[in-house]
Amino acid sequence: MFESAYAAARYRAQVGAPACAMRVIPNGLAPEEFAAVDPAPGAADFLFVGELRRLKGVDVMLDALAQVRARRTVTAVIVGAGPDAAKYTREAARNGLDGVVTFKGPRPAREAFRLGRTLVVPSRAESLPYIVLEAAAAGLPLLASDVGGIPEIVAGTDTDLLPPGDPDALARAMLEVLDHPGAAQVGAARLREAVAERFTIEAMADGVLDLYAQVRASLLRT
């Protein structure tokens, strides 16, 4: 079982075609996770939630924020922990982001979502990240990299993805959100509807049970 078509393709490329039954069964969310999360008073413009390491692209976000900061007032919150936490704190200071970026420790995703108005997922690599699904279900506008299975999440919507490792593109997208927050919210609502149709625990469970039934039927025939 693979959580994304991307992961299944990588398996075939690096290991080979599975000798057993195979199915792509995307990650799913519970019904209560589709309740909207409203930003807290004083919420930052942008939010990162995840592990603080190079793969997640926090440095790309910091570089983009420095560009935005040169043009207008902006705030961001980075939620998480990891091996590069101290490095990113120093990098934020070097970029003149003291008072712009606040670092906070790990906390549940929906609690973290109240701290920012737009989630930034600047990853250099992913599979099918739950944080993107959770943010979409919560109605949070999203700026995410075009990597891994993220395109599978936003497929059929007007949510644009960004080239990984490109702070210039991310800065332009951030400025667009700041200039047109209403449009960002409308896009987030459409993404939420799309995720609610395809990424549920019920659909995930049905996929698993159907695969088991397929395998059982195959065994009974042999």
Side-chain angles (χ1 to χ4, degrees):
M1 288 179 280
F2 297 96
E3 75 280 6
S4 66
Y6 167 80
R10 293 292 293 171
Y11 185 93
R12 289 192 193 96
Q14 295 185 281
V15 180
C20 58
M22 188 208 91
R23 183 79 58 87
V24 174
I25 302 174
N27 297 331
L29 300 174
E32 59 270 19
E33 293 181 274
F34 288 91
V37 174
D38 295 324
D45 297 310
F46 298 103
L47 170 71
F48 171 90
V49 181
E51 190 176 5
L52 305 186
R53 60 187 178 114
R54 186 179 184 278
L55 187 73
K56 297 297 183 178
V58 179
D59 56 315
V60 177
M61 181 176 176
L62 293 174
D63 288 345
L65 283 167
Q67 293 186 38
V68 175
R69 170 78 166 76
R71 297 182 59 177
R72 60 180 297 166
T73 301
V74 64
T75 55
V77 173
I78 293 176
V79 174
D84 292 327
K87 173 186 173 183
Y88 291 142
T89 302
R90 293 192 300 269
E91 189 168 325
R94 282 198 304 270
N95 281 335
L97 297 176
D98 288 336
V100 172
V101 176
T102 302
F103 288 85
K104 294 185 179 292
R107 61 198 63 203
R110 288 179 65 83
E111 179 183 325
F113 291 159
R114 299 193 71 238
L115 302 178
R117 299 181 183 277
T118 295
L119 182 73
V120 180
V121 184
S123 302
R124 291 181 167 89
E126 287 286 356
S127 181
L128 197 82
Y130 257 109
I131 195 66
V132 173
L133 291 175
E134 290 167 322
L140 206 63
L142 176 72
L143 297 177
S145 298
D146 187 1
V147 295
I150 296 178
E152 298 169 49
I153 298 175
V154 306
T157 75
D158 56 357
T159 300
D160 293 326
L161 298 178
L162 302 167
D166 189 339
D168 297 343
L170 179 54
R172 289 192 296 270
M174 287 176 160
L175 287 167
E176 181 70 16
V177 169
L178 292 172
D179 289 341
H180 304 285
Q185 287 292 341
V186 170
R190 285 194 286 262
L191 180 58
R192 184 181 176 207
E193 291 174 3
V195 167
E197 290 178 1
R198 297 185 289 129
F199 297 94
T200 65
I201 283 181
E202 182 180 6
M204 185 167 59
D206 287 346
V208 172
L209 292 175
D210 186 62
L211 178 60
Y212 287 170
Q214 175 189 333
V215 172
R216 182 175 183 274
S218 176
L219 290 173
L220 290 175
R221 287 194 298 268
T222 59

